[in-house]
Amino acid sequence: MKEKIHPFKTILFGFAFSPKLRVNIIETTRIARFFNSKLILLHVGEKTAEKSDKITAILNELSIENLTVEIQWIPGDPIQVILDSCKNSKIDLLILGALQHENAYQFYVGSIARKLTRKVCCSVLLLIKPSEERVSCKNIVVNGLDAPDTPLAIEDAFYVANALGAQQITIVEEILQREIHVKVEDDKSLKKANIMKERLKHREDSRVRKIVSDQCDTYTQNIKIKTQNIFGERGYSIGHYAEVVRADLLVMNAPKKTRFIDRLFPHDIEYILSDLPTDLLIIRRPN
């Protein structure tokens, strides 16, 4: 049996003094407790007595006796400060508040959360609906696409499922339509295409089951595991699936560096970032 992992030893949350400050702190400290992590609260801006008193008052309301919390105040450009802090403090998980739906301007220009997701050196958790009272995480969807980082994403998804008490993980295998290699023109070609689909499904299921068996056996005892094959556009398909099944959390591989042309014609995780179906955990191991 593989040794248990602890992927999120140190968490950073970049906070602003917005109307959602209190509920964001409540949600973030709750997550840190579940993951047994140290929590760094970072404000990009000058420290003042008024701001310090406000954040201290919120923390005093909460039950954080067994939680290590550090508060940092660093002025500067928000994106660069957070990027530098994640690297210098060896952060494993960056938590950010995010908009569920972006308009066209936000998509092309890019929100702070989107830019950090692309550039940061660690995993990122985007929260769209932080809650004062805990909302149970019951169903997690994780990508199972054939990529080098997928085993890590699946392994961390099982860790999170155990930490949060989730009951089910669905591993979604997105298969590109062009992999069928059959042009449907009549009944014979349709039958051939369907046979090819079944072969691809079997291949993907076998690959994913091997990942689970090799890397996640420590965490599978109390979790229902499903696999789901989807033929369609990568990123868009899994986002739509997570929305349809009302997943509580979607887990994905970290995006690769994108070019400007990719911003105009989005692919993979870019679809999800512009229209989040649920809370999104993007897995990237720190360098």
Side-chain angles (χ1 to χ4, degrees):
M1 183 176 291
K2 188 174 179 180
E3 183 180 352
K4 288 189 175 183
I5 60 169
H6 185 193
F8 309 125
K9 295 182 177 67
T10 307
I11 294 174
L12 185 142
F13 175 63
F15 70 92
F17 286 88
S18 69
K20 288 189 175 181
L21 173 62
R22 184 174 181 276
V23 69
N24 280 332
I25 296 296
I26 291 173
E27 187 73 79
T28 305
T29 55
R30 182 187 297 131
I31 292 169
R33 282 198 300 270
F34 277 119
F35 292 165
N36 191 28
S37 307
K38 174 184 176 180
L39 176 61
I40 296 176
L41 300 174
L42 168 65
H43 177 66
V44 181
E46 298 288 348
K47 180 180 180 180
T48 67
E50 182 182 1
K51 289 180 178 179
S52 182
D53 289 346
K54 188 169 185 177
I55 195 71
T56 300
I58 294 173
L59 290 173
N60 287 340
E61 289 181 37
L62 309 178
S63 176
I64 59 170
E65 292 82 8
N66 299 320
L67 182 64
T68 301
V69 180
E70 177 183 333
I71 305 173
Q72 296 182 358
W73 310 81
I74 305 176
D77 174 73
I79 293 176
Q80 196 57 52
V81 167
I82 293 174
L83 290 176
D84 291 343
S85 294
C86 287
K87 184 176 181 179
N88 296 335
S89 298
K90 297 181 179 179
I91 299 300
D92 301 300
L93 178 65
L94 171 65
I95 299 180
L96 298 168
L99 295 173
Q100 184 168 12
H101 305 289
E102 291 186 352
N103 60 36
Y105 174 79
Q106 290 167 324
F107 176 78
Y108 289 113
V109 175
S111 65
I112 289 178
R114 177 191 286 274
K115 289 178 180 178
L116 285 169
T117 297
R118 292 196 192 101
K119 296 179 179 181
V120 76
C121 62
C122 60
S123 297
V124 180
L125 176 59
L126 299 177
L127 297 176
I128 59 174
K129 294 179 180 178
S131 174
E132 186 166 336
E133 298 296 326
R134 191 200 171 204
V135 177
S136 297
C137 180
K138 299 177 182 178
N139 183 19
I140 294 176
V141 171
V142 56
N143 73 250
L145 66 96
D146 191 1
D149 296 335
T150 293
L152 177 62
I154 293 176
E155 185 176 23
D156 283 359
F158 274 94
Y159 169 83
V160 171
N162 272 265
L164 300 182
Q167 302 163 358
Q168 176 175 301
I169 284 183
T170 303
I171 305 172
V172 174
E173 303 138 10
E174 294 178 288
I175 305 172
L176 296 175
Q177 200 71 35
R178 62 174 176 264
E179 290 191 54
I180 299 175
H181 303 303
V182 176
K183 185 177 181 180
V184 177
E185 298 176 317
D186 51 29
D187 289 346
K188 184 178 180 180
S189 58
L190 176 60
K191 182 178 180 181
K192 187 176 180 180
N194 287 334
I195 291 172
M196 181 63 72
K197 278 188 175 183
E198 289 305 313
R199 287 176 179 172
L200 288 171
K201 287 179 181 179
H202 178 72
R203 181 198 71 186
E204 292 299 293
D205 280 346
S206 297
R207 178 180 58 79
V208 166
R209 293 288 179 183
K210 187 175 189 308
I211 292 173
V212 174
S213 176
D214 290 349
Q215 297 194 221
C216 312
D217 60 327
T218 305
Y219 295 106
T220 59
Q221 288 85 353
N222 300 314
I223 298 175
K224 180 180 179 182
I225 304 169
K226 289 180 60 179
T227 58
Q228 178 68 48
N229 301 109
I230 298 178
F231 288 84
E233 192 74 33
R234 284 182 174 171
Y236 175 81
S237 299
I238 192 172
H240 179 68
Y241 177 82
E243 185 173 22
V244 169
V245 301
R246 298 182 179 179
D248 301 297
L249 179 66
L250 174 59
V251 183
M252 296 283 292
N253 295 343
K256 303 300 181 184
K257 290 184 178 179
T258 56
R259 303 164 298 166
F260 177 73
I261 193 69
D262 298 321
R263 303 285 302 281
L264 297 178
F265 301 99
H267 59 87
D268 294 7
I269 204 169
E270 295 293 322
Y271 285 111
I272 298 170
L273 291 174
S274 60
D275 195 11
L276 291 169
T278 185
D279 291 343
L280 175 65
L281 175 59
I282 302 169
I283 299 298
R284 180 192 283 113
R285 275 286 186 269
N287 297 327

